Amino acid sequence: MTEPTVPSPVRFAAVAPRDLPDPRPGVSGVEPIELAGLLAAMGEPAFRARQLGDAVWRSEAASWDAVTTLGLPLRAGLAERLRFDTLTDTDLRVGDDDATEKALHRLSDGRLVESVLMHYPARGERRERNTLCISSQAGCAVGCPFCATGELGFERDLDVAEIVDQVRHARRRLVSRGRHLTNLVFMGMGEPLLNLEAVIEAARVLTDADRFGLGARHLTISTSGVVPGIERLAALSPQWTLAVSLHAARDALRDLLVPLNRRWPVRAVVAAAAGYAAATGRRVSYEYVMIDGLNDTLTDADALARLLAGTGSHVNCIPMNPVAHTPWQASPPERMEAFAGRLRAVGIGVTIRRNRGQEVGAACGQLAAEKSAEPTGVAVARRRERLVAASAAALAGERSQEPAPPGLPAGSSRPVIARSAPRTGAPRTAEARATAPRANAPRTAARPDRRPAAGRQPPRPPRRGSR
Ligand code: SAH
Ligand code: SF4
């Protein structure tokens, strides 16, 4: 790690108020053909569609006001129907000697999501890389206990434009420095495969040569193991990379670390990922967050080696980024080396990743959690006690008796039904979408053990009994 830089202060109010969502669709989520239809209906010549596309995807404009290629009356007409940017405000924190930039975005209903931009300078033969990590949901229902987003609970799915606009935002920042985006990873807040239709659509928009134009192989979708979602992706057979957050090869431990393992056990997840690799010809990578004394022993490494033997996949070992409210720490470097060595010995590729952006709260969901209401001291102490007890039971090989997180799609082989589009009620044409109300209502509750701060809504009922 480089020396920490002083993070810039966060300008947002301590707690995001829940505003009424803006009913106008974001322009980046509207199909070009629909935009062309809208412009035609507004009496504009055909070439305006190209000018609009250039403004959205290739200019540095951040608002309709800055789209000077279009006349004022047209801009005003478009602004009545569509939002140029669905991120109403963004606050930046810079760390790792300017190599990591964390953005906290406010959505039109006041909810907060994060994206993280990481710069990797050119080294030897290797070209410079600029990787953006984006969010697919506000909060997350899966509830992995080491994850700050899991701690927040589920708030709502992002729509296509809210996902894509994180990328447009980063692109503008990069362009101003003479850089461009090289890689995109769905590893921010939320479980992408629980917002699958919006994520697939956003990935299409971002890899469309006429729109954002990122190479499909430079896009990675990370999942905690939603088996029907992996199967659905495999059926589409895209060239996107699939990353699976494994964190444990043994079911008892994974029940604790990734609660949806109680629905889709680790072998089913690895089998589905192998199906993705077979359908796409793309190597799957596995993420393994290493927690001191919990999942980092040589027994764990051997179990992982047996699980992944012959799959041709790659493992990324990541030291746990410390987050509040857990009793756990990152594994020491020598233990990570020993773990990785055991996998390499049987021919499994391993990379030990360093953790970027700790001083800017770059663990998934950490900044948004900071802005959320503080859990009470008593709640934190109870939670730690519960995790210590649950860790001991998991290490003794006991499967969790807790239910799987609520709201997961049914079955292991049934395709995931579109949730995002119908739930947001997105109509098919730009004109209709521009006038339709949005229905991004919260699906499950905020954490009950958080102390409400001034101006915040009272806590809602518990998300699930165990936490
Ligand atoms: N929900 C998806 C994608 C978002 S999480 C998933 O779980 O794969 C992206 C990655 O961040 C996951 O691999 C997750 O395990 C990791 N992560 C979450 N909290 C972390 C922490 N405290 N330290 C290190 N990695 C963390
Ligand atoms: Fe959700 Fe991923 Fe965090 Fe688990 S690690 S709570 S799946 S965002």
Side-chain angles (χ1 to χ4, degrees):
M1 289 286 288
T2 50
E3 282 297 302
T5 51
V6 181
S8 59
V10 168
R11 287 181 291 113
F12 293 147
V15 167
R18 299 293 183 250
D19 305 328
L20 281 179
D22 191 324
R24 295 169 304 153
V27 66
S28 62
V30 180
E31 286 296 305
I33 193 162
E34 294 177 14
L35 288 177
L38 173 66
L39 288 165
M42 291 169 81
E44 295 293 330
F47 68 85
R48 292 273 182 241
R50 188 180 38 76
Q51 285 182 320
L52 179 56
D54 285 344
V56 172
W57 301 111
R58 285 168 283 281
S59 84
E60 274 131 78
S63 66
W64 287 120
D65 289 342
V67 185
T68 48
T69 47
L70 304 179
L72 254 182
L74 176 55
R75 272 186 264 162
L78 287 170
E80 265 174 34
R81 296 162 169 87
L82 299 163
R83 278 175 288 164
F84 193 76
D85 190 354
T86 54
L87 311 175
T88 62
D89 200 359
T90 292
D91 197 37
L92 295 177
R93 282 189 187 189
V94 177
D96 293 335
D97 275 347
D98 291 353
T100 305
E101 193 174 88
K102 181 139 186 167
L104 183 62
H105 307 287
R106 189 194 285 276
L107 307 177
S108 75
D109 61 358
R111 290 192 160 81
L112 300 175
V113 293
E114 302 170 4
S115 64
V116 184
L117 187 56
M118 288 157 286
H119 174 67
Y120 301 88
R123 223 176 42 193
E125 296 285 282
R126 196 152 193 175
R127 288 208 202 138
E128 164 184 309
R129 274 180 303 138
N130 295 293
T131 300
L132 181 70
C133 172
I134 55 172
S135 297
S136 55
Q137 297 179 315
C140 181
V142 178
C144 305
F146 57 85
C147 170
T149 307
E151 168 68 18
L152 279 174
F154 178 79
E155 295 194 340
R156 72 164 168 87
D157 288 333
L158 302 195
D159 67 23
V160 176
E162 288 168 334
I163 296 171
V164 170
D165 287 352
Q166 298 168 59
V167 186
R168 289 171 68 217
H169 202 283
R171 179 191 161 272
R172 288 199 294 271
R173 281 183 271 138
L174 284 168
V175 166
S176 69
R177 293 167 210 159
R179 293 178 180 162
H180 70 281
L181 191 74
T182 55
N183 298 79
L184 186 63
V185 294
F186 278 87
M187 288 190 180
M189 296 171 73
E191 168 47 58
L193 302 196
L194 291 179
N195 185 17
L196 188 58
E197 296 308 317
V199 165
I200 289 173
E201 186 53 31
R204 282 195 175 126
V205 170
L206 291 164
T207 54
D208 177 356
D210 291 331
R211 286 183 271 179
F212 190 74
L214 185 79
R217 291 176 169 225
H218 297 268
L219 184 145
T220 299
I221 298 179
S222 177
T223 179
S224 54
V226 181
V227 166
I230 299 172
E231 291 169 344
R232 170 81 203 286
L233 277 186
L236 292 177
S237 194
Q239 283 300 290
W240 312 327
T241 301
L242 180 71
V244 176
S245 297
L246 213 57
H247 313 322
R250 297 182 282 168
D251 276 318
L253 197 49
R254 198 164 188 272
D255 280 355
L256 169 66
L257 293 177
V258 188
L260 54 67
N261 193 72
R262 301 164 199 164
R263 169 69 74 82
W264 296 295
V266 68
R267 281 186 187 285
V269 174
V270 172
Y276 183 87
T280 61
R282 307 281 296 144
R283 186 183 76 175
V284 171
S285 61
Y286 287 94
E287 310 296 304
Y288 198 99
V289 167
M290 301 203 59
I291 307 176
D292 188 13
L294 195 63
N295 64 352
D296 60 355
T297 63
L298 294 181
T299 311
D300 291 294
D302 291 341
L304 185 59
R306 281 194 299 277
L307 187 67
L308 300 185
T311 59
S313 42
H314 188 90
V315 177
N316 291 313
C317 294
I318 307 144
M320 189 190 99
N321 213 338
V323 285
H325 331 311
T326 79
W328 301 323
Q329 300 297 324
S331 304
E334 58 281 6
R335 188 118 27 88
M336 293 185 66
E337 282 297 345
F339 189 97
R342 204 73 159 215
L343 296 175
R344 287 188 190 118
V346 294
I348 296 174
V350 188
T351 305
I352 297 183
R353 299 236 179 257
R354 81 185 171 104
N355 226 333
R356 291 283 291 257
Q358 286 200 4
E359 76 273 28
V360 288
C364 173
Q366 212 171 324
L367 262 193
E370 271 175 36
K371 303 283 100 193
S372 174
E374 280 297 307
T376 61
V378 176
V380 171
R382 270 206 214 110
R383 181 143 197 273
R384 283 170 170 247
E385 267 171 36
R386 272 202 300 268
L387 284 176
V388 169
S391 307
L395 289 174
E398 286 171 33
R399 296 291 308 260
S400 172
Q401 298 304 308
E402 300 288 344
L408 301 179
S412 70
S413 53
R414 237 181 290 166
V416 176
I417 308 300
R419 292 196 329 177
S420 181
R423 272 169 27 83
T424 55
R428 297 231 68 80
T429 66
E431 186 72 86
R433 283 162 111 172
T435 50
R438 284 254 307 272
N440 261 339
R443 192 167 53 203
T444 51
R447 288 191 49 80
D449 50 5
R450 285 183 176 273
R451 181 184 289 142
R456 191 181 168 87
Q457 289 178 339
R460 286 165 280 177
R463 188 162 59 83
R464 60 188 166 92
S466 62
R467 303 178 71 198

